[in-house]
Amino acid sequence: MSFDGVFLHAMTAELANQLVGGRVVKLQQPYPQDIIVVIRNQRQNFPLLLSINPTLARAQITRIPYANPKTPPNFVMTLRKYLENATVVGVEQVANDRILQLRLRSRNELGDQEDLLLIVEIMGRHSNIFLVESETNRIIDLIKHVSPDQNRFRLLMPGAQYVQPELQTGFDPFAAQAMTEQDWEQLLLALHDLKTKPNQVWQRTFQGLGKDTAAEIAQRTSRCLDLASLRDTATNFWQSFAQRQATIGDFQGQLQFSAIPYQTMTAQQTDFADLSTMLDQFYGQKAETDRKHQLASNMLQRLTTVIKRNQKKVKKLQATLDHAENADIDRIKGEILTTYLSQVPAHAKSVTLPNYYENETPLVINLAPDLSPSKNAQKYFTRYQKAKTALVVVAEQLQETQGELDYLLGVEAQVGVGDPKDLVDIQFELEQQGVLRPNQKRKKQRIKVNPAERFYASDGTEILVGKNNLQNDQLTLKTAKKTDLWLHTKNIPGSHVIISAADPSAATIKEAAMLAAYFSKARQSSQVPVDYVTVKAIHKPNGAKPGFVIYTGQHTLYVTPELALVDQLRQKPTQSVSK
């Protein structure tokens, strides 16, 4: 099921049971399109996620941890001002449309009671979240401001009157006595009209039906030939949503979810505690991937441009270096011309002279017709001197450019394996290195680097993995002990991995090596070489790029990355084996 009006009806009932009577204890905006309102009720915290992501818009209780931005956005600061310590007095759906309202009661700065509405419109790319005064219907603030040029139906700016969007046409299927006898008769006739698909008839008749819900009720009523059976079957279907049973299954080749088991879905999973738990499983990875794509798209585009530029530069410098290494032939031609100046005809385009360096073998020497023989010889000497200089200068430039290219390829790999919170560190690093333009709104002081990700070997030994260069430097040079074991893919961009033990087992080293291979540019390869050495053997040269270190005395292990093992190592064993 899409997050349609029918599913929102079931979710509203679930949220009302959990939240009404609770108190707002925390407000967060981890991402531009997501708000988390933590509500304390029934002696536990309920993190209510309100998302207006165009493809993932929803409202649910989430248990997935979110990292907060270093600087809170303006909208969440407004919410904190008005809603902290507010009491939830109601959770309601507008008709059977995709609009959810949280009724909250708070006190203003003077201590007077104030009734507020937190309204979530779940409408694809038009989704929005509003904070509205109940009494005056004035918009205090909204997460997405829309100029009058973009929406002439209503003004979506702070201070404007909140105008409800135009609701879907049709009857509310959950409203008692919504349809008359005549309405049911018209519905029955429309369903038996061969010119119109039953799915479309149901969507036109009732509010808030997604394609899957319409297909479900169309199938359940497909054998209803009289008015009584049609009405009873449809009414029973709507009433079944009172007994929620969160379900994930296959609908027409795609994974979908529903508030109750659907006959049109196959391979159904129903062992979820509630709707929110099911949505965490269904949306968790999708939401993470979507947020990562949003954060990484501009970064990757810029990285790709700079990488291509450096690759072209390396190619040109290598060609110049190859030419410079063959510069002795210019010196030889200049010397032979000088020796046989009297035999060189004026204004000739070329001349063939004996090469006394090669047993008098004839050597063809190209000439500039407009220059004298002596000046042609001087031209070859000048080219030789330039090439000698280039051997030193170009070699240095080639080494520097190749180092820059290796660094950028490493960062590109880190963007591919990093989580959204890791991409924030990578963005700051690229700003420091001049690859990205600095964020003018960012404070001058350095923001705190996110800690390395923590894993656990099968025997309980802690393994730390840096997901970007700033984390790598912090992990290897500041966090790790000198006796810890350090791992990194051999000559392949990737993460620094630390085994927090002086003498880890061979199995632990292999598991850590697998993590190093997985969080590298070679994660799709097999038999990836991974170096390991004690941290005391690691050295960072002065002025080196972030994440760059050198080491000696390493051992090399070959492993194949496995996603299943990565997920397994994220879980701490219930019992660790003592050494």
Side-chain angles (χ1 to χ4, degrees):
M1 174 189 287
S2 52
F3 207 103
D4 62 6
V6 174
F7 187 87
L8 182 58
H9 172 85
M11 178 59 76
T12 301
E14 180 173 293
L15 293 178
N17 289 337
Q18 295 171 321
L19 305 180
V20 172
R23 181 172 55 87
V24 177
V25 294
K26 187 184 292 185
L27 293 123
Q28 302 167 294
Q29 189 174 351
Y31 301 104
Q33 298 174 321
D34 296 341
I35 293 292
I36 293 181
V37 184
V38 182
I39 298 168
R40 181 76 176 172
N41 196 26
Q42 304 168 23
R43 296 186 178 181
Q44 58 179 311
N45 288 343
F46 293 94
L48 174 62
L49 169 65
L50 306 175
S51 176
I52 63 163
N53 185 302
T55 57
L56 308 172
R58 64 199 188 279
Q60 65 163 111
I61 302 299
T62 183
R63 299 298 176 184
I64 298 175
Y66 288 86
N68 282 323
K70 309 303 177 182
T71 304
N74 291 335
F75 182 63
V76 79
M77 293 298 290
T78 302
L79 293 183
R80 289 174 182 175
K81 176 182 177 181
Y82 286 89
L83 297 184
E84 278 189 343
N85 296 315
T87 301
V88 180
V89 296
V91 180
E92 303 164 358
Q93 180 186 17
V94 176
N96 194 49
D97 216 324
R98 295 167 295 167
I99 304 174
L100 181 70
Q101 294 185 346
L102 272 72
R103 295 191 174 275
L104 300 123
R105 184 160 293 160
S106 182
R107 293 194 177 275
N108 59 25
E109 296 173 348
L110 300 176
D112 298 328
Q113 182 176 294
E114 189 174 31
D115 289 333
L116 302 166
L117 286 173
L118 190 61
I119 303 172
V120 189
E121 296 178 355
I122 304 173
M123 299 180 175
R125 63 188 182 92
H126 300 295
S127 299
N128 215 328
I129 302 175
F130 302 81
L131 179 62
V132 176
E133 286 182 350
S134 294
E135 186 177 353
T136 63
N137 221 32
R138 182 181 67 89
I139 299 174
I140 299 173
D141 203 357
L142 65 165
I143 193 169
K144 186 167 63 177
H145 296 187
V146 180
S147 68
D149 294 337
Q150 295 175 287
N151 192 324
R152 297 184 180 181
F153 174 71
R154 54 181 185 156
L155 183 58
L156 300 177
M157 296 292 285
Q161 288 291 112
Y162 173 73
V163 177
Q164 200 173 81
E166 187 175 353
L167 300 179
Q168 293 182 12
T169 57
F171 297 101
D172 180 351
F174 301 102
Q177 306 298 326
M179 293 178 65
T180 64
E181 191 81 8
Q182 184 179 1
D183 294 327
W184 283 107
E185 290 175 355
Q186 291 178 351
L187 174 59
L188 183 62
L189 289 172
L191 289 172
H192 288 89
D193 184 354
L194 299 179
K195 296 180 181 179
T196 310
K197 293 181 179 180
N199 298 22
Q200 296 174 346
V201 173
W202 285 106
Q203 285 184 303
R204 189 170 60 235
T205 305
F206 290 97
Q207 288 181 333
L209 272 63
K211 291 182 179 179
D212 45 2
T213 305
E216 177 68 16
I217 192 169
Q219 176 168 311
R220 294 195 182 201
T221 58
S222 59
R223 296 183 180 180
C224 296
L225 302 178
D226 59 85
L227 189 62
S229 61
L230 175 65
R231 181 167 49 197
D232 291 344
T233 303
T235 302
N236 290 336
F237 177 64
W238 304 130
Q239 290 176 348
S240 65
F241 283 89
Q243 304 298 322
R244 300 176 296 277
Q245 188 177 3
T247 303
I248 292 179
D250 183 276
F251 175 75
Q252 298 180 354
Q254 291 187 336
L255 199 64
Q256 287 286 14
F257 60 87
S258 60
I260 60 172
Y262 274 10
Q263 296 175 5
T264 51
M265 290 168 57
T266 59
Q268 299 186 55
Q269 179 185 355
T270 59
D271 56 340
F272 301 103
D274 51 32
L275 300 180
S276 290
T277 303
M278 179 267 293
L279 288 181
D280 266 350
Q281 177 172 318
F282 185 86
Y283 277 123
Q285 188 58 45
K286 289 184 178 181
E288 191 80 355
T289 303
D290 184 80
R291 284 190 291 267
K292 180 178 174 180
H293 176 74
Q294 290 178 7
L295 290 169
S297 57
N298 292 336
M299 204 183 308
L300 283 173
Q301 185 177 8
R302 176 60 181 165
L303 271 174
T304 301
T305 300
V306 180
I307 286 171
K308 287 182 178 178
R309 184 189 304 160
N310 278 274
Q311 287 172 334
K312 289 181 180 179
K313 187 175 180 181
V314 165
K315 191 175 181 179
K316 288 182 179 180
L317 288 171
Q318 187 61 57
T320 303
L321 194 62
D322 292 342
H323 176 76
E325 289 176 346
N326 297 321
D328 274 346
I329 191 65
D330 289 330
R331 175 182 58 80
I332 291 170
K333 288 179 178 179
E335 290 178 354
I336 291 174
L337 281 174
T338 302
T339 302
Y340 298 104
L341 279 178
S342 59
Q343 300 180 28
V344 178
H347 308 298
K349 293 184 178 180
S350 65
V351 65
T352 302
L353 298 171
N355 183 357
Y356 45 77
Y357 287 104
E358 295 288 342
N359 297 322
E360 306 298 325
T361 303
L363 176 65
V364 177
I365 302 174
N366 292 324
L367 302 172
D370 55 333
L371 297 179
S372 65
S374 61
K375 287 192 175 181
N376 268 295
Q378 187 59 43
K379 181 180 178 181
Y380 276 107
F381 285 131
T382 301
R383 285 171 57 179
Y384 168 67
Q385 290 298 330
K386 286 183 178 181
K388 275 183 65 178
T389 304
L391 276 173
V392 178
V393 176
V394 174
E396 291 178 354
Q397 290 180 346
L398 180 60
Q399 183 179 5
E400 180 181 339
T401 306
Q402 186 62 55
E404 179 74 12
L405 180 59
D406 292 341
Y407 164 74
L408 293 170
L409 290 172
V411 174
E412 185 182 42
Q414 291 167 358
V415 172
V417 301
D419 298 325
K421 62 183 178 61
D422 303 314
L423 299 184
V424 176
D425 291 337
I426 295 175
Q427 181 177 2
F428 182 80
E429 176 190 341
L430 292 177
E431 289 174 3
Q432 285 185 318
Q433 298 300 315
V435 179
L436 297 177
R437 290 184 179 180
N439 187 343
Q440 299 299 328
K441 296 181 180 180
R442 194 191 301 278
K443 294 181 180 179
K444 292 184 178 180
Q445 61 267 30
R446 172 67 183 105
I447 60 175
K448 186 178 179 181
V449 177
N450 288 302
E453 186 169 357
R454 201 176 302 269
F455 294 83
Y456 299 93
S458 300
D459 63 2
T461 303
E462 185 180 73
I463 303 174
L464 301 173
V465 178
K467 305 290 276 299
N468 56 66
N469 287 323
L470 297 182
Q471 288 183 18
N472 286 339
D473 278 350
Q474 180 174 268
L475 176 60
T476 300
L477 306 176
K478 297 181 180 180
T479 304
K481 297 178 182 178
K482 296 294 183 183
T483 54
D484 290 345
L485 205 64
W486 179 90
L487 301 93
H488 193 282
T489 44
K490 185 180 183 68
N491 300 325
I492 300 171
S495 296
H496 292 199
V497 177
I498 295 291
I499 301 176
S500 300
D503 186 24
S505 66
T508 297
I509 294 175
K510 186 173 181 179
E511 289 172 340
M514 193 281 303
L515 288 172
Y518 182 81
F519 291 105
S520 76
K521 201 172 181 65
R523 69 158 31 174
Q524 303 295 336
S525 306
S526 60
Q527 295 301 303
V528 179
V530 177
D531 288 340
Y532 63 95
V533 69
T534 55
V535 172
K536 65 182 178 182
I538 305 296
H539 174 66
K540 186 176 184 66
N542 292 332
K545 294 280 188 183
F548 180 81
V549 294
I550 56 177
Y551 52 92
T552 56
Q554 72 276 11
H555 300 279
T556 304
L557 185 65
Y558 289 83
V559 294
T560 299
E562 297 178 25
L563 175 58
L565 185 54
V566 172
D567 292 336
Q568 179 182 327
L569 296 178
R570 282 192 168 98
Q571 308 299 321
K572 187 174 184 179
T574 53
Q575 292 182 345
S576 60
V577 180
S578 59
K579 296 183 180 179

